[in-house]
C-alpha cells in the first residue's frame, strides 16, 4: 500500500468528488457518516468487504455509555463524575491522552441521545451487565449495571431490502445467540414466549445484537442519501501540499473536498503487524478484513501513533464443528474456563496465571517474559485441564453435558495418559494438579489469588487447547478531541480523521466493561464526522 502524492488537487483527474469519504462500515464509520451528512456534507462510505458492519456486525453490539438516558430503566442512577472516577482509577492516566477520556465521558451520552432522536437507532439498558471491575470493592465509580445498552431488534428485510443480504445474520461465535437479545439472555424469560419470539424473528428476518445496531444506523444513512458501497477497498490516501485530499480505489481516485475519515478497524489479521507491534501472536475473532489498511495509510501520511501493544483481549479455542469456508473458526467465551474444577497449564505442565481473570486481561500474560527460561514459555500450547465433574456440568463449546466425548477434548482415564496425548511432561502435570487440589481443599490460592476452586480429581480427565485471542487491536494514529489525526509534531494532519479501533484507543490497555470498544467508536465517529463536515473545502474538480 502506498499513498499517492499529487501536485495540484484542482487539476487532478478525479473519478468522483464528495465532501467527506468514510473508510469502513462499522459503528465508527456509520456514525461518522451520519453526522457528516447532518453537517451538510455529501458523503461516500466505502466498505472493503462484501458485507457491511465490520466487527460491529459480528459482535454482541453492546455499547458502554456512562450516564446514558436509559439507566433509569433498571432502577439505577449514574453520573459522569462517577464514570470518570472509575476509568481514571483503573487506567491511572496510562492512556495516549487523558483529556480524551473526559471527552468520551462528556460526549458519549450526548451522542446516543442525538442518534436516538435523529436516526432509527433505538436502544435499551441491558440488565445484569455490570462494569467489569465491580469486584474491586475499593474502586470508585463502578456500577452494577445500566451503562451498557443494546439496539432493539430490527426488521432488516422490511426496512433495508436492498442491503439485507449484505448484513450478516449472526456471528460465527457460539456465545452470541442468533435471534436473542442480551436482555433476554440475562433476565428471566418464559421459555415458550422466548421460543415464540425467536420463531417470529426468524420468519420476519428480525436481527439482533451487533447486526441490529449496524442496520439501524445504516437505515439512517439511506434516509440521508449517503452513498454506501461494498466490495470497495481503499488502496491509499491521496495527498497534495501535505494535506489529505482523497482516496485511491480500484476504480481510480475519489476526491474528498473536506476530509477522509478512517474507520477501517484494527490490524489483528495482519500477522506481521501483530508480531511487530504486540510482540507475540494473538488469534483474532473479529472481521477478517481488519488487516491494518487504515494504520498503514496513516503511517505513510506521517501520523503519530500510540498504544500499539494494546488490544481488546479474550480467551479463544477452536471447535472443529464450527467452520467458515472449511476453515475452523476461533471461538471466544469459554464458560469451562471459570469452572471450579479446571485449571490452565503451559507447555511445561505448570500453571502460569489466575484462570478466572477477566477475559480482556486473560491473554496478556501469554507475552510475559520468564527469567527462568529465558524466554516466553506461554506462547506455545496452553491447556485447559478439567475433570468429569466439570464436563458433566458445563458445555465445552459444542460439546454439551451428556453428549459423547469428542476426541478433540482428549478424554483420558488418568493424568499420565492425558499428558501423553498432549505432549507435555507427565510428572509436571501431576505435580501441578496435586498442588492445585491442595489449594482448593485449603480454600486459598497463594500463587495467583484465585477464589473459586474445587479439586480436579474425578476421571476421566479432559483438555482443551486455549490461545490468547483478540476482539481487536487498539493501537493506531493519535487523534484530537475532534478525531483529527495528529502528525509527529503534534499538529493535525489536514483532511484526515480516525475513529474506532483504527485509532489509538483512548482507554490505553483498559477495557472498562463490555461494549467499551463500540461506545468509543461511536463517540469519536460522532465527533469526527461532525468536525469533518466543517473542515475547509479544498479546490477539486471531477
Amino acid at each position: 500500500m502506498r499513498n499517492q502524492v499529487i501536485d495540484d488537487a484542482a487539476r487532478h483527474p478525479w473519478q468522483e468528488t464528495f465532501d467527506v469519504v468514510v473508510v469502513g462500515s462499522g459503528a465508527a464509520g456509520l456514525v461518522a457518516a451520519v453526522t457528516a451528512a447532518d453537517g451538510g456534507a455529501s458523503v461516500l462510505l466505502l466498505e472493503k468487504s462484501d458485507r457491511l458492519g465490520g466487527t460491529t456486525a459480528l459482535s454482541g453490539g453492546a455499547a458502554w455509555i456512562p450516564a446514558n438516558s436509559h439507566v433509569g430503566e433498571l432502577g439505577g442512577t449514574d453520573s459522569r463524575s462517577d464514570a470518570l472516577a472509575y476509568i481514571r482509577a483503573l487506567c491511572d492516566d496510562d492512556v495516549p491522552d487523558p483529556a480524551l477520556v473526559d471527552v468520551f465521558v462528556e460526549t458519549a451520552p450526548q451522542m446516543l441521545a442525538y442518534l436516538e432522536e435523529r436516526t432509527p437507532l433505538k436502544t435499551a439498558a441491558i440488565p445484569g451487565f455490570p462494569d467489569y471491575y465491580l469486584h474491586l470493592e475499593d474502586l470508585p465509580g463502578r456500577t452494577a449495571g445500566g451503562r451498557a445498552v443494546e439496539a432493539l431488534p430490527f426488521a432488516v428485510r422490511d426496512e433495508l431490502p436492498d442491503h439485507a443480504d449484505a448484513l450478516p445474520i449472526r456471528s460465527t461465535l457460539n456465545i452470541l445467540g442468533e435471534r436473542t437479545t442480551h436482555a433476554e439472555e440475562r433476565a428471566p424469560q418464559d421459555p415458550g414466549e422466548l421460543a415464540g419470539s425467536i420463531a417470529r424473528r426468524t420468519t420476519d428476518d428480525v436481527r439482533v445484537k451487533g447486526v441490529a445496531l449496524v442496520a439501524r444506523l445504516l437505515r439512517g444513512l439511506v434516509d440521508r442519501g449517503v452513498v454506501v458501497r461494498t466490495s470497495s477497498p481503499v488502496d491509499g490516501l491521496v495527498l497534495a501540499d501535505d494535506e489529505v485530499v482523497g482516496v485511491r480505489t480500484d476504480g481510480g481516485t475519489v476526491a474528498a473536498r473536506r476530509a477522509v475519515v478512517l474507520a477501517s478497524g484494527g490490524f489483528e489479521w495482519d500477522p506481521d503487524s501483530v508480531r511487530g507491534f504486540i510482540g507475540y501472536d494473538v488469534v483474532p475473532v473479529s472481521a477478517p478484513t481488519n488487516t491494518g489498511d487504515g494504520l498503514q495509510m496513516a503511517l505513510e501520511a506521517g501520523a503519530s501513533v500510540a498504544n500499539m501493544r494494546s488490544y481488546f483481549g479474550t480467551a479463544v479455542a477452536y471447535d472443529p464443528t464450527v467452520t467458515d469456508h472449511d476453515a475452523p473458526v476461533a471461538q471466544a467465551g469459554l464458560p469451562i474456563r471459570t469452572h471450579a474444577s479446571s485449571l490452565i497449564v503451559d507447555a511445561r505442565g505448570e500453571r502460569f496465571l489466575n484462570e478466572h481473570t477477566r477475559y480482556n486481561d486473560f491473554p496478556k500474560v501469554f507475552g510475559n517474559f520468564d527469567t527462568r527460561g529465558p524466554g516466553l514459555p506461554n506462547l506455545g500450547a496452553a491447556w485447559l485441564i478439567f475433570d468429569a465433574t466439570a464436563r458433566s456440568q458445563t458445555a465445552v463449546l459444542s460439546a454439551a453435558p451428556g453428549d459423547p466425548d469428542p476426541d478433540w477434548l482428549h478424554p483420558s482415564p488418568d493424568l499420565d495418559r492425558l499428558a501423553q496425548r498432549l505432549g507435555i511432561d507427565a510428572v509436571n502435570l501431576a505435580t501441578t494438579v496435586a498442588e492445585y487440589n491442595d489449594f482448593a481443599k485449603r480454600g486459598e490460592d497463594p500463587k495467583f489469588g484465585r477464589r473459586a476452586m474445587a479439586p480436579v480429581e474425578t476421571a476421566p480427565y479432559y483438555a482443551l487447547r486455549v490461545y490468547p485471542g483478540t476482539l481487536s487491536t487498539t493501537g493506531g494514529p493519535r487523534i484530537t478531541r475532534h478525531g483529527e489525526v495528529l502528525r509527529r509534531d503534534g499538529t493535525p494532519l489536514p483532511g484526515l480523521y480516525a475513529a474506532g479501533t483504527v485509532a489509538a484507543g483512548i482507554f490505553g490497555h483498559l477495557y472498562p466493561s463490555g461494549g467499551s470498544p463500540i461506545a468509543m467508536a461511536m463517540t469519536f465517529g460522532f465527533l469526527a464526522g461532525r468536525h469533518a463536515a466543517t473542515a475547509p473545502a479544498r479546490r477539486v474538480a471531477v
Side-chain angles (χ1 to χ4, degrees):
M1 179 176 296
R2 287 290 181 271
N3 293 336
Q4 181 177 352
V5 178
I6 60 176
D7 293 328
D8 188 344
R11 295 178 180 274
H12 184 75
W14 302 101
Q15 273 61 55
E16 293 181 283
T17 300
F18 291 84
D19 290 325
V20 175
V21 177
V22 178
V23 183
S25 66
L30 293 169
V31 176
V34 165
T35 52
D38 285 356
S42 60
V43 182
L44 170 66
L45 184 145
L46 298 173
E47 168 55 48
K48 173 182 180 180
S49 170
D50 60 354
R51 292 294 183 98
L52 291 163
T55 297
T56 304
L58 304 180
S59 75
W64 187 77
I65 300 177
N68 70 75
S69 61
H70 297 283
V71 171
E73 295 170 1
L74 304 180
T77 60
D78 192 19
S79 70
R80 296 174 188 177
S81 60
D82 280 349
L84 274 175
Y86 173 70
I87 297 171
R88 286 172 175 163
L90 284 173
C91 66
D92 194 27
D93 285 347
D94 184 20
V95 295
D97 183 352
L100 295 186
V101 174
D102 296 72
V103 172
F104 167 78
V105 172
E106 178 68 24
T107 308
Q110 299 173 15
M111 171 274 298
L112 183 63
Y114 180 96
L115 294 175
E116 291 199 296
E117 178 184 349
R118 303 193 186 201
T119 77
L121 180 63
K122 298 295 180 284
T123 69
I126 305 174
F129 209 107
D131 292 342
Y132 277 170
Y133 296 91
L134 182 67
H135 64 291
L136 299 180
E137 297 178 357
D138 294 332
L139 198 67
R142 70 198 194 285
T143 70
R147 287 175 175 162
V149 300
E150 66 175 324
L152 299 182
F154 193 65
V156 170
R157 191 70 56 178
D158 289 343
E159 298 288 344
L160 288 167
D162 295 337
H163 296 86
D165 292 335
L167 290 167
I169 293 176
R170 60 158 293 166
S171 167
T172 52
L173 298 182
N174 282 334
I175 57 170
L176 299 178
E178 181 177 356
R179 300 287 185 182
T180 52
T181 66
H182 285 294
E184 290 166 341
E185 294 165 358
R186 285 165 171 77
Q189 298 285 324
D190 177 83
E193 184 178 333
L194 182 58
S197 295
I198 293 171
R200 287 190 295 273
R201 288 172 190 164
T202 302
T203 300
D204 298 337
D205 195 14
V206 175
R207 307 190 199 180
V208 296
K209 296 192 170 83
V211 185
L213 173 61
V214 167
R216 286 179 174 277
L217 292 171
L218 180 61
R219 178 71 244 188
L221 297 192
V222 172
D223 294 342
R224 287 163 170 77
V226 171
V227 179
V228 177
R229 292 180 187 154
T230 58
S231 302
S232 300
V234 172
D235 298 328
L237 302 172
V238 181
L239 294 93
D241 298 323
D242 294 324
E243 296 186 4
V244 174
V245 295
V247 298
R248 193 177 72 232
T249 70
D250 289 345
T253 52
V254 179
R257 276 187 293 255
R258 298 188 183 277
V260 172
V261 180
L262 297 176
S264 52
F267 58 84
E268 62 272 12
W269 283 89
D270 177 25
D272 289 341
S273 293
V274 168
R275 295 185 192 115
F277 292 119
I278 295 175
Y280 55 96
D281 290 335
V282 290
V283 177
V285 290
S286 59
T289 48
N290 290 359
T291 53
D293 302 349
L295 170 64
Q296 292 304 317
M297 291 183 226
L299 285 171
E300 291 172 13
S304 171
V305 297
N307 215 47
M308 298 307 297
R309 293 195 62 204
S310 294
Y311 58 95
F312 294 122
T314 186
V316 302
Y318 288 96
D319 183 334
T321 69
V322 182
T323 61
D324 185 21
H325 295 89
D326 297 324
V329 178
Q331 297 294 297
L334 306 173
I336 190 66
R337 178 174 69 89
T338 56
H339 193 284
S341 293
S342 70
L343 67 152
I344 293 177
V345 300
D346 59 18
R348 298 177 300 198
E350 300 176 4
R351 290 179 72 209
F352 62 98
L353 79 167
N354 179 339
E355 295 88 348
H356 292 186
T357 192
R358 294 288 179 258
Y359 69 82
N360 179 62
D361 298 328
F362 172 86
K364 298 171 184 176
V365 71
F366 281 74
N368 286 355
F369 188 86
D370 190 332
T371 57
R372 296 176 300 169
L376 302 170
N378 304 329
L379 295 190
W383 296 99
L384 176 64
I385 309 296
F386 53 101
D387 68 0
T389 299
R391 173 78 180 93
S392 67
Q393 296 173 350
T394 307
V396 186
L397 300 175
S398 63
D403 286 352
D405 290 335
D407 190 62
W408 48 269
L409 289 183
H410 308 283
S412 302
D414 53 52
L415 290 173
D416 183 69
R417 210 80 56 91
L418 182 65
Q420 291 178 30
R421 293 194 65 172
L422 305 183
I424 62 179
D425 188 286
V427 173
N428 276 358
L429 179 61
T431 300
T432 298
V433 173
E435 180 185 65
Y436 174 84
N437 289 344
D438 179 59
F439 292 164
K441 291 169 183 176
R442 288 161 45 189
E444 62 177 356
D445 179 11
K447 277 196 169 181
F448 300 105
R450 177 172 157 180
R451 294 182 179 180
M453 305 174 72
V456 177
E457 58 185 7
T458 306
Y461 297 91
Y462 304 87
L464 176 70
R465 189 169 183 178
V466 292
Y467 301 81
T470 179
L471 306 169
S472 177
T473 54
T474 61
R478 295 171 55 234
I479 57 174
T480 70
R481 63 180 296 118
H482 303 297
E484 302 161 287
V485 169
L486 290 170
R487 292 185 284 211
R488 295 185 184 95
D489 63 3
T491 61
L493 203 168
L496 188 62
Y497 294 74
T501 53
V502 70
I506 65 163
F507 298 128
H509 66 278
L510 178 64
Y511 197 142
S513 185
S516 304
I518 288 178
M520 178 178 65
M522 293 175 70
T523 300
F524 282 90
F526 174 83
L527 292 167
R530 186 169 65 180
H531 198 265
T534 68
R538 280 78 58 90
R539 290 183 59 211
V540 297
V542 178

